[in-house]
Amino acid sequence: MENFNIEEYLTVYGKVAKKAAFLMGMADTNKKNTALKAVAEALVDNSEKILKANDIDLENAVKNGMSVAMQDRLRLTEDRIKGMAEGLVQLTSLPDPIGEVIDGFKRPNGLQIVKRRVPLGVLGIIFESRPNVTADAAGLCIKSGNACILRGGKEAINSNIAIAEIFSETLEASGLPKAAVQLIDNTSREVSTAMMKLNDYIDVLIPRGGAGLIRSVVQNATVPVIQTGTGNCHVFVDETADLDMAVNIVMNAKTQRPSVCNAMETLLVHENIAEKFLNAVCVKLKDKNVELRGCEKSKSFFADMNDATEDDWKTEYDDLILAVKVVSGVEEAVEHINNYGTRHSEAIITKNFDNATKFQNEIDASCVYVNASTRFTDGFEFGFGAEIGISNQKLHARGPMGLTELTTFKYLISGNGQCRG
Amino acid sequence: MENFNIEEYLTVYGKVAKKAAFLMGMADTNKKNTALKAVAEALVDNSEKILKANDIDLENAVKNGMSVAMQDRLRLTEDRIKGMAEGLVQLTSLPDPIGEVIDGFKRPNGLQIVKRRVPLGVLGIIFESRPNVTADAAGLCIKSGNACILRGGKEAINSNIAIAEIFSETLEASGLPKAAVQLIDNTSREVSTAMMKLNDYIDVLIPRGGAGLIRSVVQNATVPVIQTGTGNCHVFVDETADLDMAVNIVMNAKTQRPSVCNAMETLLVHENIAEKFLNAVCVKLKDKNVELRGCEKSKSFFADMNDATEDDWKTEYDDLILAVKVVSGVEEAVEHINNYGTRHSEAIITKNFDNATKFQNEIDASCVYVNASTRFTDGFEFGFGAEIGISNQKLHARGPMGLTELTTFKYLISGNGQCRG
């Protein structure tokens, strides 16, 4: 890699992305939908090519001693490729957010002001090992009229290149700019860090991946970032809870899919029902192989727990582990969650109106549930369709980010000679 | 400053700000309005105290050889204090954005979802020498239910401390947390840089000031930033323009208040009317002492211009200087603006519908005008009331940022035991 100039390398991506974004912003819905369907077809038609590329990635993974679980995330199959294609076709049935008039009014001086929804421009998506993210993210960018520069993990580089090439070729054949989808083919850390500072060409960065990736982007980026995905979520079972409902919700929030960001990590239980509830739910959790880590009080009601430490309140396990804490009531639950939570998804199970209201008012999170599982924080479950991630920052977007969250707006002002006095 | 630990110092601010933000988010409109009126009164009642503090800043300014223009920005008078107070009273008549239900819907599984507007939390405001920003920014934060940590320029530190103290004391007397308004009393660059990385306590950073300040915040911050204020704005006079209207708008956009971000910096003129229009407008601009810097073609039509260089197309003068370029039509105008503009405010003067539409569709800026002056990009002119700044980034807010732009939302989801299948 002698004479490799990172800035020049990325500027090439940036310049064509900016031109592509301009054209994508002008493209009408039919053209974008037709292209998405064509890409879906092309992905399936080129399954063999994609799987061959994926095989190389998998061979390298084995050589490098990648864990079997990680290999599974990396692996593509005919079915998984069909899944990516179906995702693209689904996008065509969602409404196009671009061009929507969000607001409009006339000023006393006669100026007519219209607030119109437009694409963000060039999105930088930085993600880890799952190659299907390439197709998902690119599809969302196309439908929302953006161009994207994708930077995937080095483990999946061959698979990602194959998928991105099919996008570019098909976009071009559909009369859209092929550079609307570009993949960074140098996966060095230096290039990734430089991409995070490409303010002249990238409008917004969206990292998709684990806490380490998100932290690295937040620390290094000068391009505006939307943080996604860190979820240290809680369920608080109040003293008036319907305990059967609470058991169902706790089981669902912890065990239905423990590896995702909207799964519960800490269970908070009101002291007045702790003995009864913990004895009912903990046996079931144990049956599902959930490791329990409890506070002193929790252990006094259900002994078969490990000790919870301060670290446990802070940890997003993404695994079959649950921290358990007995609290004196909704006040302490709110305090604990606002202190340790990551502003993602939080739930109270209660029949008490005041406590439900207090919890929803006072918890600082993107999604605050009463009597439902935290697992519903998801684009499809909210009716938004496919999502680029779950934002847990407060700027721009919060919660599930669908097509609308990949847009901004501009004010169009029409007059007949108005000057400011 | 031995043993001074920046992290500890800022953590004290951060912790109390976070508590204050929680309470401010719960405060009802009447309480916030009453407090704003009380602060307005207290500012006027304490004019003498504020002016004494301002005198110290002014004495230091003279000692340090500050320019007369800068001294004027720093200077407070009874009238300017009254102006700050009036600004606070005006805020009380604006609608409270907090609690608004932005959206709401029921899902097929019975989950009822409400999207409710809430404050951002803790705002970090970094600004330069004008001490009245302290009152303006603090007022907007109070009305929008946020807490703020203010970091003003060292030149105005005594004035800023005096104003912030009056806020804190009056907030407390009004039953609101005094830490809702805090001023960083250490104005070193190190503290400022550390504040930009205070992610645990500050939700959003808003720099208010010149290009250097904005750049420094964008480069150093890990806290999400809203960029404001850089305005390299253009007016394009098309060949079908009403030339009298065009003259009025150009004069207004350049000379009515040249120091502000929505003033015009480059004039683009269609080649077919360039001779006639430039001869009409340039004499008037010269009469107002505007220095002209033209391209070759411009100079061939109106000789009394300096040469424009590549740098001129990029520069926000904020002064009585105007770059002038003759273009072949709307296509070239759009290309020039999208290339050199800062996505702030851009105008076309034309009678041609297609060109007006093309300009509004294709220009990438927060505000795109047809037949009106760029000077209207302003919170009051848009009917939003007082503003914290003009955003020229695409994330979260674009254009004039009023109270609404200082908010985020959360989803409140109510169910009766729903679990994800």
Side-chain angles (χ1 to χ4, degrees), chain A residues 109-183:
Chain A
N109 60 4
L111 283 181
Q112 185 78 51
I113 302 183
V114 162
K115 188 176 181 180
R116 184 198 286 173
R117 196 178 291 290
V118 299
L120 281 168
V122 178
L123 304 180
I125 319 265
I126 301 184
F127 56 103
E128 291 178 326
S129 59
R130 287 191 307 131
N132 55 320
V133 173
T134 308
D136 295 352
L140 284 161
C141 289
I142 292 169
K143 179 73 188 227
S144 55
N146 292 292
C148 59
I149 300 178
L150 306 166
R151 196 278 189 188
K154 65 174 181 302
E155 306 80 8
I157 184 66
N158 293 291
S159 316
N160 289 337
I161 287 175
I163 295 167
E165 268 178 13
I166 293 166
F167 266 89
S168 291
E169 286 162 12
T170 317
L171 283 170
E172 194 169 32
S174 307
L176 287 174
K178 67 176 181 175
V181 174
Q182 292 185 90
L183 182 89

Side-chain angles (χ1 to χ4, degrees), chain A residues 178-339:
Chain A
K178 67 176 181 175
V181 174
Q182 292 185 90
L183 182 89
I184 300 274
D185 58 14
N186 180 313
T187 57
S188 72
R189 182 175 292 262
E190 291 71 29
V191 166
S192 176
T193 305
M195 178 182 166
M196 300 176 200
K197 299 180 193 294
L198 207 63
N199 295 52
D200 284 347
Y201 301 107
I202 299 180
D203 293 289
V204 177
L205 272 183
I206 306 176
R208 278 187 62 155
L213 172 68
I214 310 281
R215 206 177 309 118
S216 162
V217 174
V218 169
Q219 291 299 323
N220 290 300
T222 52
V223 175
V225 174
I226 303 179
Q227 283 183 58
T228 65
T230 322
N232 183 15
C233 306
H234 303 71
V235 174
F236 167 53
V237 181
D238 197 12
E239 67 178 323
T240 61
D242 175 326
L243 294 192
D244 290 335
M245 182 197 286
V247 167
N248 287 338
I249 288 174
V250 165
M251 293 307 294
N252 186 260
K254 182 69 250 178
T255 68
Q256 194 245 358
R257 205 171 162 203
S259 64
V260 293
C261 61
N262 57 18
M264 169 182 57
E265 306 294 5
T266 296
L267 170 66
L268 302 171
V269 186
H270 193 292
E271 58 187 2
N272 292 354
I273 49 105
E275 182 164 13
K276 188 171 175 193
F277 181 68
L278 287 176
N279 278 289
V281 79
C282 289
V283 178
K284 290 191 180 233
L285 287 163
K286 286 268 171 192
D287 279 351
K288 290 273 191 181
N289 298 313
V290 177
E291 180 195 333
L292 301 173
R293 300 186 186 173
C295 67
E296 278 304 309
K297 272 195 186 166
S298 305
K299 295 184 66 179
S300 74
F301 296 125
F302 188 86
D304 192 9
M305 290 187 191
N306 296 321
D307 288 323
T309 66
E310 175 73 11
D311 262 358
D312 285 298
W313 311 135
K314 294 178 184 165
T315 303
E316 182 184 4
Y317 303 114
D318 284 341
D319 203 349
L320 288 174
I321 306 172
L322 180 68
V324 183
K325 189 180 167 73
V326 172
V327 295
S328 57
V330 67
E331 197 99 22
E332 191 184 340
V334 166
E335 208 183 306
H336 180 95
I337 293 169
N338 281 345
N339 195 12

Side-chain angles (χ1 to χ4, degrees), chain A residues 227 343 394, chain B residues 10 13-15 17-18 120-126 147-151 182 184 191-192 194-206 222-225:
Chain A
Q227 283 183 58
R343 299 171 170 171
K394 293 182 179 179
Chain B
L10 284 175
Y13 280 92
K15 281 193 172 159
K18 211 168 176 181
L120 281 168
V122 178
L123 304 180
I125 319 265
I126 302 185
C148 59
I149 300 179
L150 306 166
R151 195 279 189 189
Q182 292 186 93
I184 299 275
V191 166
S192 176
M195 177 182 167
M196 300 176 199
K197 300 179 193 294
L198 207 63
N199 295 53
D200 284 347
Y201 301 106
I202 299 182
D203 292 289
V204 176
L205 271 182
I206 306 177
T222 52
V223 175
V225 174

